[in-house]
Amino acid sequence: MKEDTSAKRILITGAAGFLGSHLCERFTGEGFEVIGMDNLITGSLKNIEHLFPLPNFEFYHHDVSKFVFVPGKLDYILHFASPASPIDYLKMPIQTLKVGSLGTHNLLGLAKAKKARMLIASTSEVYGDPVVHPQNEDYWGNVNPVGPRGVYDEAKRFQEAITMAYHNYHGLETRIIRIFNTYGPRMRLDDGRALPAFMGQALRGHDITVFGDGSQTRSFCYVDDLVEGIYRLLFSDYHLPVNIGNPDEISIKEFAEEIIKLTGSSQKIIYQELPVDDPKQRRPDIQRAREILDWEPKVSRKEGLKITYNYFKSLPEFQQ
Ligand code: UDP
């Protein structure tokens, strides 16, 4: 899918985070003028420092929950700012709610003023602890609004609702992606999610902590596949939500065993309490992405895990 990207200007929020940094890399590489924005509460400048010398990259240190000012023209906005791992949004519940609600409202206002197209990062969490399996986009979800994950899930559901309202009422061009579990280089080792937790434990010689009995399932997508899906969705003409994820489903216990095997560690699995409202099963139905975007994931878990493990191994902490 080749676009005329010369001199197109794009704002990427959450630029210093895991997904945001990969998006900044992709869009600068495609020749866009990229403005990365981040308040750095969970992101790190280390993720984007290699982009600073580029003539088509600039960085604004800003919290999008406050009024967002961008001088000049803007063609696209990708809203990826938010704490996104369960321990982060439990630690920062109010910021999580604000970036999904007030932040999204500010950016929609900016998109309207600039006549820009806006894509929002929604999530499989809008399906909550799903009673439909696999999850397709027509499923309305099973979310506990007052549970610990409610701050993230409901902020993202509100984000979808206000984005649709701007589309329907103001005629704004909008895109909604529902992202399922994604992994790859630049995840934070201490973000509490299963993959960095297991790899960090393997590297430090700690036992592997599986929550519950490990029978809950997830489906892990490699970051390059996700970025390709986002790219295609942005340039499609489809405004309803699209799931992007890898349908290769695995139980968390088997996932832990795969990581033990890959890392050659001799650690054992220890079982800890399952967090409240932890979804029991999750697998995307990606029929819509296949039909509309001609997209499907290409990187196998085996391949993706190897690349990710090599990244973690190369961190200064593990270089003696
Ligand atoms: N999990 C685990 N051990 C850990 C971290 C997470 O067993 O050290 C489990 C967690 O309870 C969930 C699954 O792994 O069932 C995926 O968790 P993650 O935080 O990666 O993402 P989620 O899909 O729950 O947002």
Side-chain angles (χ1 to χ4, degrees), residues 84-87 89 123-125 149 152-153 180-182 187 191-198 201 207-220 251-253 255-256 270-282:
S85 84
I87 57 164
Y89 49 77
T123 166
S124 54
E125 284 285 327
R149 299 172 90 103
Y152 184 68
D153 301 7
F180 284 65
N181 294 66
T182 301
M187 286 186 99
D191 86 352
R193 282 190 274 204
L195 183 143
F198 295 165
Q201 287 157 348
D207 290 334
I208 309 292
T209 53
V210 165
F211 298 161
D213 62 4
S215 63
Q216 71 273 30
T217 67
R218 294 294 186 272
S219 309
F220 296 93
S251 76
I252 293 300
K253 178 168 182 284
F255 189 56
I270 54 168
Y271 293 90
Q272 297 184 344
E273 203 176 327
L274 190 68
V276 176
D277 295 339
D278 197 285
K280 283 181 276 306
Q281 51 180 8
R282 184 183 287 157

Side-chain angles (χ1 to χ4, degrees), residues 72-146:
K73 73 156 191 163
L74 210 50
D75 301 291
Y76 305 102
I77 298 175
L78 302 183
H79 182 25
F80 277 70
S82 177
S85 84
I87 57 164
D88 284 343
Y89 49 77
L90 294 186
K91 261 188 286 185
M92 292 173 265
I94 314 286
Q95 282 112 315
T96 302
L97 281 157
K98 283 170 75 176
V99 72
S101 55
L102 307 182
T104 303
H105 186 211
N106 288 336
L107 293 162
L108 285 164
L110 179 67
K112 182 165 151 273
K114 303 277 185 185
K115 299 189 171 39
R117 182 182 302 171
M118 169 134 155
L119 181 148
I120 58 155
S122 187
T123 166
S124 54
E125 284 285 327
V126 300
Y127 302 123
D129 189 1
V131 297
V132 165
H133 192 73
Q135 295 78 53
N136 66 37
E137 293 86 348
D138 297 328
Y139 176 47
W140 292 353
N142 178 36
V143 170
N144 174 5
V146 295

Side-chain angles (χ1 to χ4, degrees), residues 120-258:
I120 58 155
S122 187
T123 166
S124 54
E125 284 285 327
V126 300
Y127 302 123
D129 189 1
V131 297
V132 165
H133 192 73
Q135 295 78 53
N136 66 37
E137 293 86 348
D138 297 328
Y139 176 47
W140 292 353
N142 178 36
V143 170
N144 174 5
V146 295
R149 299 172 90 103
V151 295
Y152 184 68
D153 301 7
E154 296 296 6
K156 291 292 187 178
R157 289 169 68 97
F158 173 85
Q159 182 182 46
E160 289 196 7
I162 193 170
T163 299
M164 283 304 293
Y166 267 71
H167 174 80
N168 291 326
Y169 187 75
H170 289 304
L172 193 73
E173 281 205 58
T174 54
R175 306 288 180 267
I176 301 174
I177 179 178
R178 291 188 180 148
I179 300 170
F180 284 65
N181 294 66
T182 301
Y183 69 96
R186 305 201 200 110
M187 286 186 99
R188 246 175 43 229
L189 205 50
D190 63 348
D191 86 352
R193 282 190 274 204
L195 183 143
F198 295 165
M199 289 197 175
Q201 287 157 348
L203 283 163
R204 292 173 181 138
H206 299 163
D207 290 334
I208 309 292
T209 53
V210 165
F211 298 161
D213 62 4
S215 63
Q216 71 273 30
T217 67
R218 294 294 186 272
S219 309
F220 296 93
C221 182
Y222 186 65
V223 63
D224 287 358
D225 282 332
L226 183 89
V227 166
E228 180 60 29
I230 294 166
Y231 197 82
R232 290 183 187 214
L233 179 61
L234 182 64
F235 299 116
S236 74
D237 55 10
Y238 192 75
H239 71 278
L240 292 172
V242 179
N243 288 340
I244 298 283
N246 190 321
D248 187 1
E249 184 180 2
I250 185 171
S251 76
I252 293 300
K253 178 168 182 284
E254 285 171 300
F255 189 56
E257 287 163 352
E258 272 190 8

